[in-house]
Amino acid sequence: MSWYVAITNPNCHRRAEVGLADLGYRAFWPKMRKWVSHARTKVSKEYPILGRYLFVEIPDGNFWAVRNVNGIEAILTGDNNAPALVPEAIVWRFRERYMRGEWDFVTNQTGEFVSEQGELVTRRNPIPTGAKIKIMEGEFADLITTVRGRKHGKLEFLANGKWATTRESNARAA
């Protein structure tokens, strides 16, 4: 299998990924998750780490089919104007780092991952006030609400018009 780099149209990573999947090609683009404020609430959003670049596995060398996918602008070429082959190890290294949660700034779990130096790194990202959350268990299980503040180390939110609290470990980004 050979990996190549496709250049997507602006903000079309998902569209291109779906179109490539319809053709039977695998695609991968490492994403960063972070909190974004909008209209006085904070929501988690994903952003591509490599800008408009997307890794595509093209087993049959049919570059024209890939180029015609909705959302793909071009395929990155090398010196001889042929599509530039990306070593599989590079793609898998990006996948490993993504799966470890290295670029996930939303998670409220420990955020442990092994750095490139082989050290165990722990990153704690508290859920900010104004973030949309989903309560995972207990009395308010499956409730989607907004964090209104903190009280005694717990998240404070409104549930059915009444103030309630829950442990941060019991909430996930909605």
Side-chain angles (χ1 to χ4, degrees), residues 13-117:
H13 284 83
R14 290 190 199 289
R15 182 182 306 163
E17 188 175 31
V18 169
L20 290 166
D22 287 346
L23 292 177
Y25 297 140
R26 286 197 301 175
F28 172 70
W29 50 288
K31 300 169 261 313
M32 172 186 6
R33 284 183 65 207
K34 65 180 186 176
W35 292 108
V36 176
S37 288
H38 180 69
R40 295 186 188 164
T41 60
K42 294 187 179 177
V43 294
S44 63
K45 288 199 126 198
E46 289 184 336
Y47 294 96
I49 290 175
L50 300 175
R52 293 172 50 193
Y53 295 121
L54 171 87
F55 294 114
V56 182
E57 187 177 39
I58 307 172
D60 56 4
N62 190 356
F63 302 109
W64 185 251
V66 172
R67 174 61 185 87
N68 283 332
V69 169
N70 188 3
I72 300 284
E73 183 176 308
I75 295 177
L76 196 66
T77 58
D79 294 335
N80 57 0
N81 234 7
L85 185 65
V86 177
E88 189 174 8
I90 290 175
V91 178
W92 286 108
R93 183 80 175 126
F94 270 109
R95 289 182 87 126
E96 288 172 357
R97 292 175 71 184
Y98 175 71
M99 295 303 289
R100 279 197 310 254
E102 192 169 333
W103 300 303
D104 189 353
F105 297 99
V106 171
T107 184
N108 59 353
Q109 297 170 350
T110 59
E112 291 182 349
F113 61 91
V114 179
S115 69
E116 291 183 15
Q117 293 78 23

Side-chain angles (χ1 to χ4, degrees), residues 122-151:
T122 302
R123 182 180 62 231
R124 182 85 172 119
N125 296 306
I127 298 176
T129 301
K132 283 193 174 276
I133 59 169
K134 179 178 181 181
I135 308 300
M136 301 308 290
E137 58 187 44
E139 179 182 358
F140 304 109
D142 297 328
L143 174 72
I144 296 179
T145 185
T146 302
V147 176
R148 303 292 180 167
R150 292 184 180 275
K151 186 175 188 179

